[in-house]
Amino acid sequence: MVFGRIPTVVDGSEVVRLPLRKKNVSAIYLDNNATTAIDPRVADVIDEVLRAGPANPSSQHAAGRRARERVDQALETIAAALGTKISTPGGPRLILTSGGTESNHMALHGIGDPKGPLIVSEIEHPSVRATAQHQQANGREVRWIPVDRDGVIHLDALASMIDPPGEQAAVLVSMMSANNETGVIQPIQQAAEICRSAGVPLHVDATQSIGKVPVDLDALNAAAVTFTAHKLHGPVGIGGLWLASGVKIQPVFHGGSQQLESRPGTEPVALVAGMATAIQLATAELGSSAKLMRQLRDSLEQSLCRKHPELVVVGQNSNRLPSTTSIALSGTDRQSMLMALDLAAVACSSGAACSSGSSPPSHVLLAMHAPQAWVDSVLRFGVSKFSTMDEILLASERISIAYNRLRRFEDVEN
């Protein structure tokens, strides 16, 4: 192993000796909660559509009509794969967006009275959390649902927040189906029953769930559901917002008649077709892929905890996505550990990809009232259906080496 002086910051220190990456070291990608490798079968579909020539579904000539047919077919494929029907007049519908962030933004701004009270959980993705905070700063009342120490929302708190005595009833509830940092699955079905009984729409951010656990949109009983392609081996830049029958939404953008003026702009036919293929494959192969991911995740956790009994798997007492593990590497600094693993060619993250480049601690762990030692040292690892056991075994070895080295450095510093 080659060593050099790599600048980093650990408790105010200037540097720590870390291994420099060798050119021939194989990279191991364990950041699949941030984004996934595109499935070659999806790439083939995108390539086919792009090579077919110009495609604007709004054009009335033959090429435009072919493009419209391709988009409509893709939407039907997505709907069928996710357990819903969009062909019935007045029934559920799918709005195409640029991805999960836009879909979440559209739901929070467009469903219900934008000035009415909004309810979100304390562990939401930054795209929901930041939107809610922005609205709160501009005068909207936002009620925050707490979570327990395992990272599961308090349903009793949700029920009490919807229509508290003497206060205005909430107009929208927004919750994620599974947390992007810990993988903890939330009790969406129960939350939906509470919301439906109270007559308040529920928006669900399901970006982390599709392709990892079963998702049936009609059975979910939500008013709106966010999804995106690049979390399940589809292309970046395309996502969707499903709306239940009768749910109305105010557009965020203006300037075109596409998608019934809900979201104007030329639909990217190739990306839409790619997303449809990705979702179809993800749901069709769910049984085998989820089994593989769970085996790989468990192997990584068991291997590391066997070598280092002091490590803690965050949310391990809760039902979790089969692909995700969040591990507190106590005695190390998460940013230094992240850098060490990057140099060791192991890609992971210290939180949500939208915020992991910054220094603030995880709002998810803080909401869970996690010990400071966890907050300071947690890293997230995410496997996919393309991960292998050989990669997991090698990653475990590299993580262990980096952990031992940085922990010794911390001991010397302290």
Side-chain angles (χ1 to χ4, degrees), residues 54-72 96 258-259 265-270 272:
N56 187 331
S58 297
S59 298
Q60 297 180 12
H61 47 61
R65 293 195 300 273
R66 286 194 296 271
R68 170 53 56 196
E69 183 179 4
R70 191 69 188 251
V71 168
D72 290 344
L96 297 169
Q258 293 93 342
Q259 304 195 70
T266 302
E267 298 98 326
V269 182
V272 176

Side-chain angles (χ1 to χ4, degrees), residues 156-388:
D156 290 344
L158 167 62
S160 66
M161 289 179 178
I162 292 177
D163 192 10
E167 298 183 35
Q168 184 180 352
V171 300
L172 178 66
V173 176
S174 181
M175 287 175 47
M176 54 179 24
S177 57
N179 187 258
N180 54 298
E181 292 189 27
T182 65
V184 172
I185 296 173
Q186 301 301 315
I188 294 297
Q189 290 286 168
Q190 297 94 312
E193 291 175 7
I194 292 172
C195 291
R196 182 173 288 270
S197 297
V200 60
L202 170 66
H203 162 249
V204 177
D205 178 0
T207 54
Q208 291 291 342
S209 295
I210 300 173
K212 300 166 188 174
V213 293
V215 174
D216 186 316
L217 296 181
D218 283 349
L220 202 57
N221 283 327
V225 179
T226 287
F227 59 92
T228 192
H230 75 105
K231 304 291 188 181
L232 44 87
H233 305 288
V236 174
I238 186 71
L241 180 67
W242 174 86
L243 299 177
S245 175
V247 175
K248 297 181 180 179
I249 189 165
Q250 296 297 317
V252 176
F253 305 129
H254 303 275
S257 59
Q258 293 93 342
Q259 304 195 70
L260 301 178
E261 299 186 352
S262 295
R263 200 278 189 177
T266 302
E267 298 98 326
V269 182
L271 296 183
V272 176
M275 177 168 66
T277 301
I279 291 177
Q280 185 179 47
L281 291 170
T283 55
E285 299 171 354
L286 176 62
S288 58
S289 59
K291 180 180 179 180
L292 170 64
M293 288 187 287
R294 182 173 288 103
Q295 290 174 340
L296 297 177
R297 181 203 66 185
D298 290 351
S299 178
L300 179 63
E301 292 176 351
Q302 292 164 7
S303 175
L304 288 173
C305 291
R306 186 167 52 248
K307 297 173 185 176
H308 312 284
E310 69 276 12
L311 300 187
V312 176
V313 177
V314 179
Q316 61 183 326
N317 296 321
S318 300
N319 187 21
R320 293 180 292 151
L321 295 174
S323 57
T324 306
T325 182
S326 188
I327 301 177
L329 298 131
S330 300
T332 64
D333 171 80
R334 68 185 190 281
Q335 292 298 117
S336 297
M337 190 70 187
L338 189 66
M339 180 179 288
L341 291 179
D342 183 42
L343 293 168
V346 176
C348 61
S349 72
S350 61
C354 298
S355 60
S356 59
S358 57
S359 57
S362 164
H363 69 278
V364 175
L365 295 178
L366 294 178
M368 294 170 61
H369 301 288
Q372 191 62 43
W374 296 12
V375 176
D376 292 339
S377 66
V378 162
L379 291 183
R380 179 188 70 182
F381 303 91
V383 300
S384 81
K385 65 180 181 182
F386 293 134
S387 301
T388 67

Side-chain angles (χ1 to χ4, degrees), residues 37-47 233-234 277 281 385-386:
I38 195 165
D39 190 310
R41 294 167 292 182
V42 174
D44 287 343
V45 170
I46 295 173
D47 180 67
H233 305 288
T277 301
L281 291 170
K385 65 180 181 182
F386 293 134

